[in-house]
Amino acid sequence: MKRMLMALVIAMPVSIARAEPTKLGAPPVAADPAPPLAELKTRFADGKTEEIPDFQRHVVPLLGRLGCNSRSCHGSFQGRGGFQLSLFGYDFKADYAALLEEDSARVEVDDVLESLILVKPTDAEMHEGGKRYDQGGWEYHVLRSWIAAGAPATADEPQKLARLEVFPAELRFGAAGEREPLRAVARWEDGTSEDVTGLCRFTTNDEAIATIDAEGLVTAGDAGDTHVVVSYDNAVIPVPVLRPVSELAGERYPQVATSTEVDALVIAKLSKLGILPSGICSDADFLRRVSLDLTGTLPSPEQVQTFLADDSADKRAKLVEELFESPGYAAWWATRFSDWTGNSEAQLNNVFPVRGAASQLWFEWLEQRIATHVPYDEIVEGIVTAESRMPGESYREFCEAMSAACREGGEADFAKRDSLPQFWARINLRMPEEKAIGFAHAFMGIRIQCAQCHKHPFDQWSKDDFDQFAKLFAPIAVPQAPRDRQAREQREEMLAALDTGDLQGNQLRRRLGELLLDGEVVPFPELTVRTAAARQQRNRRANPNRRNLAGAARVPTGKLLGVDQEISLAEDPRESLMEWLRDEQNPYFAPALVNRVWANYFGVGLVNPSDDLSLANPPSNRPLMDYLTRGFIESGFDLRWLHRTIVLSDTYQRSFEVNETNATDERNFSRFVPRRLPAEVVHDAVLLATASDEEAAELRNQLTRRAIANTYLINRQGPGNFALAVFGQSIRETSCDCDRSDDSSLLQSVFLRNDADVHARLTSPRGWVAQMGKEYQLSGFRQRDPQALRALQRQRQNLQKQLRQQYEKLRSLDPEQRQQQAPELRAQIERLRERLAEIGTQGREGMRRDGGQRDPEGPRQSVSPHDTERLTPLVEAAYLRSLGRHPEPQEIEASLAFIGESASELEGLEGVLWSLVNTKEFILNH
């Protein structure tokens, strides 16, 4: 493994060696004293040089620069005109074979000037892709010289690029329209170097801030910061581009106090951009913000009052430690880990006989480890190297334990088991390639799907890199029947005893689920790792007379990403995978988790998207990423260290109020950007805001009804689950963090305003409004017409169902249908919304007084001094339980006026709470 890690260190500078700080663990690169060769366009300007271009170093990159191997040309999967190149050109053997295909005339070594790669690209009429270069231009001379020399191929193994250096390492502009060229120098492992600027591909990550042309000339645009990306061979180099947003950049930047190293690194970046940070948020904002972000739970009114009354200097730090011990902390982060690791009931449908059990046990296993402060690397180890059976456990004992775990109350026993094999059992992780993609997403935060077919356009991975990595996952499987002979016999005995007859597939699984819930022990699938040694042993049993079978068989191997050393599949490769992940020099494992946790707190990662740690998508603040990664590793992968370091920084505690310099900043953390609450947190916040004090206390401590503790809710039917779908709960269908949506929509507003479930919570006899009605003897209490309210609720539910159907129809229309049918559908939606509003009004008018008759005097127009004193505490309580703060005097006045104008005090209080739940302040974390 030590040699493997040294190989990783040597390999990484290929893509990251820069004048700026390298990634964690990358060694400093010694300066090369030899001056590089001049560019090809200089050396081949007149075509008189005797130099022979190199296929890998010159010809393939030139074809890339000309666009020949792009998606829209010969690099597409179908090719163009019968000629196909590898996309982005890193399959040198295939490209060479395609160029020199017999009878293709693309390369004619005996009649050089008739070669089609010289003739067609210089003739716009002949070439479908248009004219690509001039006859007699340097590009023409390079290709002609290569063909004239016999079109020499590249070596059997690709030459290794030691590093690509790009100058300058950072670009700073002062005004729009300013320009500066980049220069790229390739340094190869054989000691040679040359200027390859004219052979590079250049892209920008934000055209509004900076553009870059084919020659590497960068032009400044809007104020802000981004990266331009330089690609050559397998190197991908991002170059920061900054243009200050104010005159305060650099030496003019004022002194800003920093409390932590996180703040110092953030301010260092802001000073380059001339962005001033917002001030520190109020105590009320911090309490609500960190409670929702860290535990997925609204603070209770008692917590708010206690915290606001506390005048100790360290109360925010003490609060964080208290939140770590709350049930919501472990539950919420188990939900986030379930997102990242792909805990999906739909993808586990064939694993356990009881629907939903595999997913919920997955959650419980994670929750128990987070609650007991298990280090992150040990949590991952329990997943990556998972075994179905505990040490010394027989197959029957394993089935007994799993049968008990799937019954009510058995979750805790499963959570005590050493490992979580369900990760490897998902339907969408059956093939080795799928396992490789899922593993890389879950534990490395990278997207390697592209490399499955071609060179990754934004990273160093080639198709061969992907194929070698995927081989490591080939031995892992979770078949329905055990492969171990003794276990298979035990399974057959169990099925015979259960008298399942000839049932197979889904029918058998359903029957086993019924028997399990009746108390029977049923068989379960078992994770197996079919190593080469195990296969050879099986082959020897099947072929006892072929004694040399094992010796003749070649043991298959695979490779870790970025490590040039083979891993034998004679034994379980997952041990090597885990050892590689947790090593401090691994450039993905720790940064991926750091980035995802940061994104949870700020709505955007240091790398965005949060699961795309690629060379072309660098951190917005690399020193900050390196600091947090290094600290996380040195802490022993302590999750609480990471949370504490982030939430106790001034950066996290910034106010959401903006100043002239940071109003548009959404990536450099100069202010807190308000963001919508996640789906599960919205669901639970409505429950907590509307619940009675007793019920709310129970919901905070016993999480069985909370969405943050019930991942099996995904893809189920029901009012609570509709709320989760509306607010974008992750469906965990793909290896992508984008399965969770943070977008806002009209349907979300309609849900909070008119959904029958929300109204049922507000009007519930066990809710907070009813509790206050009883305790304060509010007018209208006990005067409801229960039968009428139930009828109205049924009407609401029916209208909600119709409204959802119309929205689904509208979303499913193709462009042509939308033009014809959308106006009528929108009209129907508007009519349904109006009807729902009417139902809501009728519900509020359903308060009856004096034997069922409406108050003959009508609604009161003002609140008496006595009633003001009596009702003000209720308004205070409504604000505390929903918004986590005391109301302002004008808010109290407006609320009391609303209550006074209502048909009854109970209806008025209900309306106040409904209004608060429908504010942006409630639905956003700020």
Side-chain angles (χ1 to χ4, degrees), residues 294 317 320-331 333 337 367-376 379 593 597 601 628 631-632 635-648:
L294 191 57
V320 171
E321 299 306 316
E322 292 170 3
L323 292 175
F324 283 143
E325 303 305 323
S326 69
Y329 164 70
W333 286 98
F337 277 47
E367 183 185 35
Q368 191 268 349
R369 277 148 185 79
I370 295 169
T372 55
H373 202 184
V374 174
Y376 174 64
I379 295 175
L593 195 277
V597 171
Y601 289 118
L628 289 171
F632 183 47
S635 73
F637 296 96
D638 184 342
L639 290 167
R640 295 188 183 184
W641 177 91
L642 182 58
H643 294 305
R644 191 183 295 116
T645 301
I646 294 174
V647 302
L648 292 179

Side-chain angles (χ1 to χ4, degrees), residues 602-624:
F602 292 92
V604 61
L606 292 166
V607 173
N608 189 48
S610 57
D611 59 346
D612 189 18
L613 273 65
S614 66
L615 294 174
N617 187 35
S620 58
N621 191 322
R622 186 182 293 278
L624 177 56

Side-chain angles (χ1 to χ4, degrees), residues 251-541:
E251 295 181 354
R252 297 181 180 180
Y253 197 76
Q255 189 71 26
V256 176
T258 56
S259 301
T260 68
E261 183 64 16
V262 168
D263 303 319
L265 294 170
V266 170
I267 293 299
K269 173 72 178 293
L270 296 179
S271 67
K272 294 180 180 181
L273 291 165
I275 298 176
L276 297 178
S278 297
I280 301 300
C281 67
S282 68
D283 283 341
D285 280 350
F286 177 76
L287 172 60
R288 188 177 193 272
R289 180 186 301 175
V290 75
S291 297
L292 290 167
D293 280 343
L294 191 57
T295 70
T297 305
L298 279 174
S300 69
E302 296 76 22
Q303 284 178 300
V304 177
Q305 291 173 312
T306 300
F307 187 72
L308 296 183
D310 187 354
D311 58 2
S312 59
D314 62 344
K315 68 177 184 179
R316 295 192 179 192
K318 289 191 295 186
L319 169 67
V320 171
E321 299 306 316
E322 292 170 3
L323 292 175
F324 283 143
E325 303 305 323
S326 69
Y329 164 70
W332 174 236
W333 286 98
T335 293
R336 296 316 322 267
F337 277 47
S338 291
D339 285 348
W340 301 328
T341 54
N343 178 11
S344 167
E345 178 186 327
Q347 300 301 331
L348 294 166
N349 190 36
N350 298 332
V351 179
F352 284 10
V354 179
R355 182 171 173 81
S359 177
Q360 190 62 25
L361 292 177
W362 184 326
F363 170 86
E364 300 281 351
W365 189 90
L366 289 169
E367 183 185 35
Q368 191 268 349
R369 277 148 185 79
I370 295 169
T372 55
H373 202 184
V374 174
Y376 174 64
D377 64 322
E378 293 182 21
I379 295 175
V380 174
E381 183 177 27
I383 301 173
V384 172
T385 64
E387 300 286 351
S388 289
R389 300 189 218 171
M390 297 279 280
E393 191 175 50
S394 70
Y395 176 73
R396 181 172 186 85
E397 291 169 336
F398 159 67
C399 293
E400 290 172 352
M402 296 309 300
S403 296
C406 289
R407 301 187 191 105
E408 187 174 354
E411 299 89 351
D413 288 335
F414 178 84
K416 295 175 184 176
R417 296 180 71 85
D418 293 340
S419 56
L420 183 71
Q422 287 100 306
F423 175 83
W424 299 108
R426 289 180 289 162
I427 296 171
N428 57 352
L429 257 64
R430 284 178 172 169
M431 302 302 293
E433 295 80 6
E434 295 169 340
K435 291 183 174 71
I437 292 169
F439 180 93
H441 167 262
F443 307 119
M444 300 164 67
I446 61 175
R447 302 175 179 180
I448 60 171
Q449 294 93 318
C450 291
Q452 188 174 2
C453 301
H454 53 77
K455 163 75 171 66
H456 199 296
F458 308 119
D459 218 320
Q460 60 185 312
W461 316 123
S462 66
K463 185 178 184 302
D464 183 63
D465 292 329
F466 179 91
D467 292 341
Q468 292 295 326
F469 185 56
K471 288 178 181 179
L472 297 175
F473 301 91
I476 307 166
V478 185
Q480 287 295 317
R483 286 175 174 159
D484 174 74
R485 183 171 60 185
Q486 185 177 6
R488 191 163 56 249
E489 291 173 353
Q490 291 179 6
R491 180 179 186 273
E492 291 170 356
E493 292 172 1
M494 294 170 67
L495 288 174
L498 293 169
D499 193 22
T500 57
D502 297 329
L503 295 178
Q504 298 289 332
N506 290 334
Q507 291 182 328
L508 175 60
R509 189 161 43 252
R510 281 194 294 270
R511 179 57 183 154
L512 291 177
E514 294 169 355
L515 292 168
L516 183 151
L517 296 177
D518 286 340
E520 299 286 351
V521 174
V522 304
F524 278 76
E526 182 178 25
L527 187 151
T528 61
V529 180
R530 298 182 63 188
T531 62
R535 284 198 298 272
Q536 290 173 6
Q537 185 178 6
R538 186 190 61 199
N539 290 337
R540 282 196 298 270
R541 288 198 301 266

